[in-house]
Every structure is written in structure tokens, then in C-alpha cells.
Amino acid sequence: MAPHFHDALETRDPAEREQALLQALAGQIAHAQAHAPAFAELLAGVEPAKVNSRAALARLPVTRKPELLARQQAQRGSGGDPFGGHATVGWAGLVYRRGARKVFQSPGPIYEPEGEATDYWRLARALFAAGFRAGDLAHNSFSYHLTPAGSMMESAAAALGCAVFPGGVGNTELQLQAIADLRPQAYVGTPSFLKILLEKAEEQGRSVRSITKALVSGEAFPVALRDWLAARGVSAYQCYATADLGLIAYETSAREGLVLDEGVLVEIVRPGTGDPVPDGEVGEVVVSTLNPDYPLIRFATGDLSAVLPGACPSGRTNTRIRGWLGRADQSAKVRGMFVHAGQVAEVVRRFPEIGRARLVVEGELANDRMCLRVELTDAPPEGLAERIAAALREVTKLRGEVELLEAGSLPNDGRVIEDRRAI
């Protein structure tokens, strides 16, 4: 494989990739049903061999982080499985007695396993695209405490043959001293902390010019900051990864969106549902991972993104997404009751005439007003607005107005609930 690519998977024919992913997915579903009790329950009655298309995948249930947390909490303190039946690995004393190398705690708290596979989180692909190569020293300023970010990046760098300085978070002065002494070629961490390090170095007259490349994540990475870093000699790229799923997508030299990782199947769905949206429309990122140790099937990230058309100019042939565009887990409290994106989706589901929809909340305290603005695919039948309003009241237990719009009237930003009230 040419040095430009991490491996041959990145340049596969898209049809070949799709076939391979769907075949692997069928095996993953069978594995999860047999070894992960949560998925044995969630996917009961599903025949793995019949999940052989995107349409079949879309019929499977979506798992969201609150549900994963609830399953974990239900088994805590009772000698149960701290992973809530979602993992297939563990240690002595659990139902599963093999395979967990590390355990992490993310906010919730939610526990995630790290298995024994090399580059378990698959971040080496993103590091390679950012220019990291064997023999580099990578200064890793992601946290090594409780959460997995530091370990995710370190194991990936080791898989590439890089040495790692485990800087962790904070201790700016000590980290600057280490950079000056060790002269690392690369940085891994949040973009904001890299900016802090470079600013401090400039103030103090310290040399950090050895760092010429970076992989950043965990925060938004605006173009203005990318250019600021480039002006100081650092070529920085971003990736999209989570503690549950590992790498989802990564930036390439083309700087046009993020290319999907080769070890996941990604869908973009309408927020609050599991229904895929057309390519280009903003929706929630739902991921099925092929990791056998933590076989999350249709796991909703809560993040918004959209598919970009066409192939990546870098030569990688996998699908691209626009990157992080906000959060999908939208809600608003109206007249003392919470309204969620899933409730809006339930109303929309009852009317095939509706395309996009957005619930707009306006007014002042104790005088909230709801208006469901809906795009129609055709001319509205008589009484449609009244029937939608009745459904809105039935689902949310709140009265609201309905505004009928032509297709294309609402912004393509994934927002389902818009709260216009003054804070």
C-alpha cells in the first residue's frame, strides 16, 4: 500500500466495502445475541443473516446512552454486570471472565471496557492521516484519569510505532518543559490546550518548534484556530471519536469533511427516531461497531451531522460526513412539562404528508406558545392542520398551533425543537 494510506481498506471499491461491512454486521449481530445479554434481549427474534441491507439495519432498535446507563445502573451493587450486558469481555467475578485489559468511567457514570486487541479504539488510522509516522514522539495531553481518551490515543500511536509522552491534562509549565527537552514531532489532545501551550511558549521565549503535526479532538475545531496553528508551523487535523465506539471519522489532507472509519457502519437518522434521512440532510449519527468486545448495534451518539456527496479528493473511498454540527438530544420545558424530539417525531410519523418538522417554542414564563411548523410533500388535504394539532396535543399533552409550509422552507440543520424564549 502506498505511504499515503494507512492500509488497503481505505481505497476499496465502495460496493465491495458495503458488502464486506454488511457481512461482518450479520456476524456481529449473531455474536452480540450469543454473548451480550442486553443485545440478546434487544435483538430477540432477529435473524442475523437477514440483516443484509441498510434498510434491514434501519429496522433494528436504536440504543441511546440513557438506556445504556439505565441497564448498567440496574445491575450495580447486586453483583451484576457493570457493563449492563452490553460487553462480551470482563474479568474474574463477572459472568464474562476474559478479555478486559482496562476499564474506564465516563460521565454518568458509564463504564467502558478496553479489550486486548492492538489499537483497540482504531485511532491509528486518524493519526496516520494527520501525518504521524513510526519513530515520531507524540506528546499526548489527553486525560489518563478515569476516561479513556489518553489510552485511546496512546494505544493508537504505539500501533503506528510512535513513542508517547503521557502528558495528560494541566501542568502547563511541566508540559512545556518536556516539549523543550524531548522535542516531540507531534501533539495529541484538545485544540484549545495546544493553543495554550503555544501561547505560553511564545510568552516565555521557549522553543516548541519541534511540533509540526497534531491530531485534535474533544472540542470544536474552527478553521480560524486551524489557521492560527498553521501560522505557527503546526499542521493540525481533527477526528471524531467517542468512549463507547472509538474512532467514527477522521480528517484528511483534503480538508473536506471527515472520512468514516473502516470498522463502523454509520447512519444519519431523524433526531428522536431511528429513521434514516436522505444523504445531505442533517440528522443524528447512529453507529454500529464491529468491535466484538463491545458490540454496540445502532448506538445513537446524540451528535448531529450529515453525509457529504462525492468521494474524498485524498483518494479514500469511504463516505464522508460534515463533522460535528450540534446535539440531537433536544428538549424544552413548556408549561411545566418536558417536550422531547422523540415526541415530535411521533407526531410526524402519523402523517405521511409531512417531510421535515420543527417545534418552535416562544413567549414568556407562564405564557409559553408552541407552534409545530411542518413541510409538506404535496398540497395539504382539507383539515390536515387541525388533525396534526390534535395529534400534537395527544402526544405532548399540550396545546399547540400548526403551520403548514412548502418543502425546503425549514433550515437543514437537524433542529427539531427551537426554543426562542428569552432566558
Side-chain angles (χ1 to χ4, degrees), residues 254-388:
R255 303 283 192 186
E256 294 183 11
L258 305 182
V259 176
L260 296 184
D261 178 50
E262 299 293 331
V264 293
L265 287 89
V266 173
E267 304 166 271
I268 307 295
V269 308
R270 200 168 304 285
T273 77
D275 305 329
V277 299
D279 285 356
E281 186 167 333
V282 176
E284 183 177 11
V285 178
V286 169
V287 181
S288 297
T289 173
L290 300 178
N291 176 3
D293 298 342
Y294 202 33
L296 297 177
I297 308 295
R298 299 205 85 200
F299 186 76
T301 63
D303 296 322
L304 294 174
S305 193
V307 170
L308 277 175
C312 181
S314 72
R316 294 169 176 86
T317 57
N318 208 343
T319 302
R320 297 176 298 160
I321 59 175
R322 287 174 56 188
W324 187 81
L325 300 177
R327 292 293 293 171
D329 43 359
Q330 305 160 31
S331 64
K333 197 171 187 178
V334 182
R335 293 170 230 151
M337 298 181 65
F338 277 104
V339 180
H340 301 278
Q343 293 174 298
V344 177
E346 173 58 29
V347 174
V348 172
R349 193 176 288 114
R350 299 183 182 189
F351 299 92
E353 301 92 342
I354 298 178
R356 290 197 192 110
R358 174 174 299 197
L359 184 70
V360 178
V361 185
E362 297 178 294
E364 300 173 353
L365 187 64
N367 190 29
D368 302 317
R369 300 187 303 277
M370 292 195 324
C371 179
L372 184 61
R373 308 183 71 209
V374 300
E375 293 181 358
L376 300 182
T377 54
D378 294 301
E382 187 173 345
L384 178 63
E386 290 78 9
R387 289 189 284 117
I388 296 173

Side-chain angles (χ1 to χ4, degrees), residues 129-317:
F132 289 54
R133 295 294 184 269
D136 286 344
L137 173 61
H139 185 102
N140 185 5
S141 71
F142 274 120
S143 175
Y144 280 79
H145 178 63
L146 295 178
T147 58
S151 185
M152 292 168 76
M153 294 299 181
E154 178 167 312
S155 59
L160 283 183
C162 299
V164 176
F165 176 78
V169 296
N171 300 305
T172 305
E173 292 296 330
L174 290 175
Q175 298 215 37
L176 281 175
Q177 184 66 53
I179 293 171
D181 292 343
L182 301 174
R183 301 185 300 280
Q185 291 86 3
Y187 166 91
V188 180
T190 63
S192 61
F193 190 62
L194 177 56
K195 184 172 187 289
I196 289 171
L197 287 173
L198 296 183
E199 287 175 334
K200 285 285 186 183
E202 289 177 2
E203 290 173 10
Q204 299 174 8
R206 291 187 175 182
S207 174
V208 292
R209 289 191 298 273
S210 66
I211 296 179
T212 60
K213 47 197 168 188
L215 180 69
V216 299
S217 193
E219 298 173 345
F221 186 42
V223 173
L225 180 51
R226 184 187 76 191
D227 293 344
W228 187 92
L229 294 171
R232 286 153 181 81
V234 181
S235 179
Y237 294 83
Q238 61 182 313
C239 72
Y240 172 31
T242 73
D244 322 278
L245 299 158
L247 182 65
I248 299 172
Y250 61 99
E251 192 173 21
T252 74
S253 57
R255 303 283 192 186
E256 294 183 11
L258 305 182
V259 176
L260 296 184
D261 178 50
E262 299 293 331
V264 293
L265 287 89
V266 173
E267 304 166 271
I268 307 295
V269 308
R270 200 168 304 285
T273 77
D275 305 329
V277 299
D279 285 356
E281 186 167 333
V282 176
E284 183 177 11
V285 178
V286 169
V287 181
S288 297
T289 173
L290 300 178
N291 176 3
D293 298 342
Y294 202 33
L296 297 177
I297 308 295
R298 299 205 85 200
F299 186 76
T301 63
D303 296 322
L304 294 174
S305 193
V307 170
L308 277 175
C312 181
S314 72
R316 294 169 176 86
T317 57

Side-chain angles (χ1 to χ4, degrees), residues 93-110:
L94 295 185
V95 176
Y96 318 108
R97 299 182 180 275
R98 63 168 185 84
R101 181 168 55 189
K102 295 180 182 177
V103 185
F104 296 98
Q105 183 193 79
S106 294
I110 292 175

